[in-house]
Structure formats: structure tokens, C-alpha cells
Amino acid sequence: GMVHDFSNILQNISLQFSLLERSDDHAKERNMANIRKILGGANDYLSNVLRYTRDNKDDIFVKRGSVFVKNSIEMLQKVLPSAINIKLTDDYIKIKAGQVKITQMLINLCQNASDAMDGKGEIEITMSVGEKSFGRFFKLTVTDKGKGIPKECLDQIYKPFFTTKEGKGTGIGLATVRQIVVELC
């Protein structure tokens, strides 16, 4: 999952570099700034990966869910294309989770959303309180205006290595998200 995430970061750098090669002098500075921003995000991501690989039982905290998400958005803005805007809708609920796991989930979900919109558009992250027979829970929804997943593929999306991205994706992102949710529950 982490290799998949870092591969997405490298793809964004490659895209910005190809734009840089074809741009005029005015756009070159903007593209260079985007590359620097993505590289900074990659560095932050690698720091989090190192923290993630250590025993992270001490990284589990009870906090407002939006605190975890807002901290993740800071990294997302560094690794997603600059033409992606993130909109946040918040509801109050405290959860017990780890920042690295929440960030890894959101990177996978938002990278998929970005890919579905060809690297431009708005991703909406909504936090709400859900209710089931077993009690209240933290509901996190990531929405985009992309083309969507074909209905005939929906029952396969959490299988490792399944992808609809034809040569672009690894099929690890949603499987990783599912595993993190299972671990947190």
C-alpha cells in the first residue's frame, strides 16, 4: 500500500515535469513550484511511512475526527495535483485512531478520486456520525465528480491488485483502505 502511495506521488511529479518541459517562461515557475510542493509532500510521506513501520500502538489517540482529517489534508495538498481542491464538511465526534492510518486511508481515497477526475476538480471529504444497532460511529465519505466505477466491478474493488485504471493503478489502494478500517474497528 505504501509503495502504491509513493508511486502516485512519483506519477504527479512526472506529470508536473512533462508540463514544465512544454510550458512557456511564465508557466515554468508555477510548474517548478508545484514540483517543489509535491517533493515536500513526498518527504513528509516518507517520514510518516517510517513512523508507520515502527510499533505504532503509542500513536493511537482519542480526538475529534476532524483533527485527524485536517492533519491528513495538509499532506494531501502536498501530494495531489495543484488543480485538485479539497472541500471539508465536519460533524463533531471523537474517535480512537492513529494519524498515520487515517492519512494513509485518505491518500488512497483522494488519489483515486483525483485519477477519476484526470487530476483536476473538487474532492469533498464529509465527516458525520452514523448510527447502527451496535452504536454510533465515525463516517468518513470521499466524493468526486469523476467517471465512477462500472457497476459490474463493484464487488471486486477491495480485492488486492484489482484495478480499473488499465496500466496505471496497482489495485492496492482500496484493499489498503479496507484493511485499515478492519484494523480500526
Side-chain angles (χ1 to χ4, degrees), residues 51-175:
R51 195 172 40 175
Y52 177 77
T53 59
R54 295 184 194 120
D55 183 9
N56 61 1
K57 290 182 180 24
D58 295 334
D59 291 339
I60 304 295
F61 298 100
V62 175
K63 304 188 230 188
R64 189 172 172 179
S66 62
V67 171
F68 287 111
V69 173
K70 286 175 184 174
N71 289 340
S72 298
I73 287 174
E74 288 178 23
M75 177 174 294
L76 282 168
Q77 290 172 328
K78 294 177 182 175
V79 298
L80 292 175
S82 60
I84 293 290
N85 180 42
I86 299 173
K87 179 181 173 189
L88 183 62
T89 305
D90 187 3
D91 194 355
Y92 181 83
I93 185 172
K94 285 191 174 183
I95 64 172
K96 182 178 181 179
Q99 184 63 59
V100 173
K101 299 264 187 187
I102 297 291
T103 300
Q104 186 180 12
M105 259 191 335
L106 283 170
I107 284 175
N108 281 302
L109 293 170
C110 290
Q111 184 63 53
N112 282 353
S114 172
D115 290 347
M117 298 185 302
D118 296 322
K120 55 187 177 291
E122 183 173 84
I123 297 172
E124 183 174 0
I125 300 174
T126 305
M127 294 169 280
S128 60
V129 177
E131 299 262 353
K132 292 281 186 183
S133 59
F134 55 80
R136 294 167 37 115
F137 61 93
F138 179 65
K139 183 176 179 182
L140 184 63
T141 307
V142 176
T143 309
D144 63 72
K145 302 279 191 231
K147 56 188 171 192
I149 300 170
K151 286 185 180 188
E152 62 272 10
C153 296
L154 288 176
D155 63 337
Q156 301 176 70
I157 62 173
Y158 296 112
K159 291 181 182 175
F161 309 110
F162 175 79
T163 183
T164 60
K165 294 182 187 177
E166 297 181 23
K168 187 176 178 192
T170 61
I172 296 294
L174 291 178

Side-chain angles (χ1 to χ4, degrees), residues 16 29-39 82:
Q16 290 298 320
E29 187 56 40
R30 184 181 73 238
N31 289 329
M32 288 296 290
N34 285 340
I35 291 171
R36 281 190 291 275
K37 178 181 161 192
I38 293 168
L39 288 171
S82 60

Side-chain angles (χ1 to χ4, degrees), residues 169-184:
T170 61
I172 296 294
L174 291 178
T176 300
V177 169
R178 183 183 180 283
Q179 182 61 38
I180 291 170
V181 170
V182 167
E183 288 173 14
L184 291 174

